[in-house]
Amino acid sequence: PGTYREYVNPIHGGTDDARIAYRSVDPLKATITGAESVKSWQPYQDNVWVARINNGVFGSWNPYTTYVMGDWYFGPVDKHTGAVYMNDLQFYETNSLKECLEAKVYGRSWERKNSVYKWYTEQDEDKDETVIYANFQGKNPNHENVEINVRREVFMPQENGINNITVSGFKINKAATTWAPPASYQDGMIGPHWSKNWIIEDCDISHSRCAGISLGKYKDPVNDPVSYTHLTLPTIC
């Protein structure tokens, strides 16, 4: 039991007669998460606080410079793969600091009362920092469980053909996944990555930015999308 802030990359598969099992000793008492806790919030204005994150935390995949985008994706191209959570409540990203301060209800939300929890991000390139503003609606974020997602996946082999794996009884949450297009690498918080004979059972899988479970597709250099960072957003025709 406990919280494991890490990315699990299985490098060995089992056999048809001898599977490899990853199992929580106490079902749903072990959590594997792609998020990190943030306790460095400073008051900014009204209900909005600000935190500065050194970009070294993210490695080669910065969810706060990477947009949700890909083949066959027809949604807005101005939302990042990053996210902010307070006590497992996921905040709504805004396109400006002004919108974050105003914190208007999002009319299309399924949970409209919670849509006033907003966040906004920008880069301080001089200090190599990601700056995150969040509207906590009167709460002190340093006294709450506030997290940001950091890792792209939580439980997925980098290589194909890691067969005969069982994943059982975990809570798996909060990954900075991007769109899973049909013709290129399909990103997911957990998945076999084009392996066979996997069993994912009795798990609580939640709070992925896009896909929770992905069954494929393998990485194809011809079709593999690039990270969309520091770019002018394209017009989709």
Side-chain angles (χ1 to χ4, degrees), residues 99-118:
E99 291 175 321
C100 185
L101 285 161
E102 291 174 343
K104 294 180 179 179
V105 170
Y106 180 50
R108 297 177 62 187
S109 172
W110 289 359
E111 297 181 294
R112 297 184 65 189
K113 68 177 182 179
N114 290 331
S115 69
V116 296
Y117 291 91
K118 309 286 192 181

Side-chain angles (χ1 to χ4, degrees), residues 6 98 104 113 206 215:
E6 59 186 83
K98 178 183 177 182
K104 294 180 179 179
K113 68 177 182 179
S206 66
L215 301 183

Side-chain angles (χ1 to χ4, degrees), residues 81-83 85 90 149 151-154 172-179 187-190 205-214:
T81 60
Y85 314 87
Q90 184 169 331
N149 59 12
R151 287 168 282 279
R152 181 172 179 173
E153 292 107 6
V154 173
I172 296 172
N173 60 38
K174 300 184 181 73
T177 54
T178 189
W179 182 250
D187 210 16
M189 187 160 57
I190 179 174
I205 298 170
S206 66
H207 296 86
S208 180
R209 190 64 162 123
C210 288
I213 301 175
S214 170

Side-chain angles (χ1 to χ4, degrees), residues 192-203:
H193 193 190
W194 211 251
S195 303
K196 65 181 181 179
N197 295 338
W198 271 52
I199 297 173
I200 302 171
E201 62 182 7
D202 301 327
C203 291

Side-chain angles (χ1 to χ4, degrees), residues 38-195:
V38 178
K39 292 293 185 183
S40 58
W41 296 95
Q42 298 293 327
Y44 176 73
Q45 181 179 327
D46 299 333
N47 290 323
V48 173
W49 296 59
V50 61
R52 305 180 73 91
I53 313 297
N54 186 286
N55 285 335
V57 169
F58 306 113
S60 61
W61 178 263
N62 186 337
Y64 303 92
T65 60
T66 307
Y67 293 96
V68 176
M69 192 177 293
D71 293 343
W72 291 38
Y73 175 71
F74 303 110
V77 290
D78 55 3
K79 296 295 182 284
H80 293 91
T81 60
V84 176
Y85 314 87
M86 180 176 68
N87 303 327
D88 289 335
L89 171 69
Q90 184 169 331
F91 285 25
Y92 287 66
E93 184 179 3
T94 67
N95 294 327
S96 70
L97 182 53
K98 178 183 177 182
E99 291 175 321
C100 185
L101 285 161
E102 291 174 343
K104 294 180 179 179
V105 170
Y106 180 50
R108 297 177 62 187
S109 172
W110 289 359
E111 297 181 294
R112 297 184 65 189
K113 68 177 182 179
N114 290 331
S115 69
V116 296
Y117 291 91
K118 309 286 192 181
W119 70 279
Y120 169 73
T121 188
E122 58 188 25
Q123 291 293 304
D124 185 337
E125 296 186 2
D126 291 337
K127 296 183 178 180
D128 193 27
E129 291 178 335
T130 291
V131 184
I132 299 176
Y133 301 87
N135 193 318
F136 292 98
Q137 294 298 320
K139 294 183 174 62
N140 183 332
N142 296 318
H143 297 163
E144 309 291 335
N145 180 27
V146 178
E147 301 169 289
I148 61 170
N149 59 12
V150 171
R151 287 168 282 279
R152 181 172 179 173
E153 292 107 6
V154 173
F155 199 116
M156 180 179 287
Q158 285 292 305
E159 302 298 327
N160 308 134
I162 310 298
N163 304 322
N164 297 292
I165 296 286
T166 296
V167 184
S168 179
F170 292 98
K171 287 184 178 179
I172 296 172
N173 60 38
K174 300 184 181 73
T177 54
T178 189
W179 182 250
S184 60
Y185 175 57
Q186 292 177 344
D187 210 16
M189 187 160 57
I190 179 174
H193 193 190
W194 211 251
S195 303

